[in-house]
């Protein structure tokens, strides 16, 4: 298969309408999309990514009105979140309509819905005219792609089209909130922080991984976002340096490393961490040190 690379949202949308799969940029990471109502197209996503079938997808919309095509009802807590954070890096989980394929939801009776706050993504999704289910546009388990070239590295020749765009602004996956739970639960941390959410829904809780067998959100069960190297979180203590070792953090260490990235802020760290991991893979780096950050705000997601 030859993968078309285009900067035209209309051209990419035509491929979705024809039953193809398209990688497209959002403010978080690049997604790999298909028409939510086309089971054959959804199967192509799982095949291209080598994605486990029990890992649910997130539906992306270009207009608030499309929520009605996906969800049976929208509880009051979800209404508040939508008003405050759509469009943006937030996914809300709602009870799905029966016509939504269980392929898209990993057999769950709920579906995650997001409205990206990214101009090209909005143009593309609007042109598609239907909700588009999309996981990250990478081989499952690898670091998520934050550039279209990273998508091509993984999926060139495996998918129909890549919609070009600039490197993503946030670089970490969307926050996921389960609005079918009482009280609502944060299933995955992201750029919309727990504090942000509690400003709108004070009863919001943070899900603690226990005994659920069926993951209610991507990122809850299978290995995700991982480089080939061993990753070590560090407070500044290093057991190896020199060749074949990488480092990313806010503070420049005294030691020299094969590849390093010194971030200017936690936000800059989050924006660049996946691409840093990918560059370490390109260089066959065996050990990566990641500086620990405060466990609050975006730091909790990082």
């Amino acid at each position: 298969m030859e993968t078309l690379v285009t900067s035209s949202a209309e051209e990419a949308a035509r491929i979705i309408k024809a039953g193809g799969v398209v990688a497209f940029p959002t403010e978080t990471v690049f997604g790999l999309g298909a028409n939510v109502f086309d089971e054959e197209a959804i199967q192509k996503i799982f095949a291209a990514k080598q994605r486990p079938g029990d890992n649910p997808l997130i539906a992306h919309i270009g207009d608030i009105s499309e929520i009605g095509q996906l969800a049976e009802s929208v509880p009051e807590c979800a209404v508040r979140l939508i008003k405050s954070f759509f469009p943006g890096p937030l996914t809300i989980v709602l009870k799905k309509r029966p016509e939504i394929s269980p392929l898209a939801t990993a057999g769950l009776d709920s579906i995650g819905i997001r409205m990206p706050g990214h101009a090209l993504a909005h143009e593309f999704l609007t042109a598609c005219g239907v909700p588009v289910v999309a996981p990250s546009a990478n081989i499952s388990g690898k670091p998520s792609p934050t550039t279209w070239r990273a998508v091509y590295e993984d999926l060139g020749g495996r998918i129909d089209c890549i919609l070009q765009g600039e490197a993503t602004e946030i670089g970490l996956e969307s926050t996921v909130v389960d609005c079918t739970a009482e009280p609502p639960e944060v299933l995955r941390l992201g750029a919309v922080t727990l504090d942000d959410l509690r400003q709108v829904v004070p009863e919001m809780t943070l899900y603690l991984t226990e005994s659920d067998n069926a993951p209610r959100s991507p990122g809850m069960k299978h290995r995700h976002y991982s480089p080939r190297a061993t990753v070590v979180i560090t407070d500044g203590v290093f057991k190896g340096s020199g060749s074949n070792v990488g480092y990313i953090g806010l503070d420049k260490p005294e030691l020299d490393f094969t590849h390093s990235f010194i971030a200017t802020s936690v936000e800059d760290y989050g924006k660049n961490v996946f691409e840093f991991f990918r560059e370490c893979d390109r260089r066959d780096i065996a050990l990566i040190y990641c500086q620990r950050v405060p466990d609050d705000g975006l730091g909790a997601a990082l």
Side-chain angles (χ1 to χ4, degrees), residues 10 60 70 81 111 118-119 153 162 186 192 213 227 234 274 292:
E10 291 284 347
H60 294 66
L70 300 164
L81 293 170
I111 186 167
H118 183 283
E153 280 180 346
I162 298 173
V186 179
V192 179
N213 291 319
T234 180
F274 284 149
R292 190 184 307 278

Side-chain angles (χ1 to χ4, degrees), residues 3-15 22-25 30 118-125 127 148-149 160-166:
T3 298
L4 171 69
V5 179
T6 180
S7 58
S8 168
E10 291 284 347
E11 186 173 25
R14 285 196 291 271
I15 292 172
V22 174
F24 62 99
F30 275 71
H118 183 283
L120 186 56
H122 176 74
E123 184 181 354
F124 165 67
L125 292 166
W148 74 264
R149 291 178 179 83
D160 297 294
C161 175
I162 298 173
L163 177 58
Q164 285 178 291
E166 299 297 325

Side-chain angles (χ1 to χ4, degrees), residues 27-30 143-147 167-174 189-191 225 248-250 261-278 290-294 296-302:
E27 70 274 31
T28 57
V29 300
F30 275 71
S144 296
T146 55
T147 69
T168 60
E169 297 170 11
I170 295 172
L172 297 177
E173 310 279 352
S174 65
L189 292 163
Y225 322 133
I248 183 170
L250 297 167
F261 180 84
I262 310 303
T264 58
S265 64
V266 172
E267 289 75 18
D268 189 41
Y269 194 154
K271 178 179 179 178
N272 288 280
V273 67
F274 284 149
E275 181 57 26
F276 174 81
F277 283 165
R278 283 182 167 269
C290 298
Q291 184 180 6
R292 190 184 307 278
V293 297
D296 56 12
L298 186 67
L302 183 56

Side-chain angles (χ1 to χ4, degrees), residues 42-290:
I42 295 171
Q43 288 173 334
K44 292 177 185 178
I45 290 178
F46 284 91
K49 280 180 58 71
Q50 302 169 29
R51 182 180 178 89
D54 63 348
N55 202 2
L57 307 180
I58 291 171
H60 294 66
I61 59 174
D63 190 88
I64 295 294
S65 63
E66 292 179 341
I67 294 174
Q69 300 177 46
L70 300 164
E72 281 194 332
S73 61
V74 183
E76 194 269 338
C77 67
V79 172
R80 282 184 273 161
L81 293 170
I82 290 166
K83 286 181 178 179
S84 297
F85 300 111
F86 277 29
L90 177 69
T91 296
I92 56 171
V93 176
L94 301 173
K95 291 291 184 184
K96 77 175 185 70
R97 294 181 64 88
E99 56 265 36
I100 302 300
S101 170
L103 281 176
T105 64
L108 299 173
D109 63 356
S110 60
I111 186 167
I113 303 170
R114 177 160 110 80
M115 185 177 181
H118 183 283
L120 186 56
H122 176 74
E123 184 181 354
F124 165 67
L125 292 166
T126 301
C128 289
V130 294
V132 171
V133 282
S136 55
N138 58 309
I139 297 296
S140 285
K142 293 185 65 175
S144 296
T146 55
T147 69
W148 74 264
R149 291 178 179 83
V151 176
Y152 197 88
E153 280 180 346
D154 277 14
L155 300 178
R158 301 175 65 90
I159 62 175
D160 297 294
C161 175
I162 298 173
L163 177 58
Q164 285 178 291
E166 299 297 325
T168 60
E169 297 170 11
I170 295 172
L172 297 177
E173 310 279 352
S174 65
T175 305
V176 179
V177 173
D178 186 356
C179 291
T180 70
E182 293 185 9
E185 293 179 309
V186 179
L187 302 182
R188 182 175 72 186
L189 292 163
V192 179
T193 69
L194 183 59
D195 286 343
D196 294 334
L197 295 166
R198 284 176 172 164
Q199 291 295 316
V200 178
V201 182
E203 65 270 28
M204 186 73 63
T205 61
L206 181 61
Y207 172 78
L208 300 175
T209 54
E210 292 175 351
S211 59
D212 281 11
N213 291 319
R216 290 180 278 157
S217 164
M220 292 186 71
K221 181 177 180 181
H222 298 281
R223 175 183 167 115
H224 277 68
Y225 322 133
S226 300
R228 291 194 299 269
T230 298
V231 175
V232 176
I233 308 300
T234 180
D235 291 307
V237 177
F238 306 102
K239 294 182 179 179
S241 63
S243 63
N244 225 24
V245 180
Y247 169 83
I248 183 170
L250 297 167
D251 301 316
K252 182 175 175 59
E254 295 181 0
L255 301 175
D256 291 327
F257 295 96
T258 305
H259 179 52
S260 62
F261 180 84
I262 310 303
T264 58
S265 64
V266 172
E267 289 75 18
D268 189 41
Y269 194 154
K271 178 179 179 178
N272 288 280
V273 67
F274 284 149
E275 181 57 26
F276 174 81
F277 283 165
R278 283 182 167 269
E279 183 59 26
C280 287
D281 279 351
R282 295 179 194 116
R283 299 184 186 211
D284 292 323
I285 284 173
L287 175 65
I288 299 172
Y289 286 109
C290 298

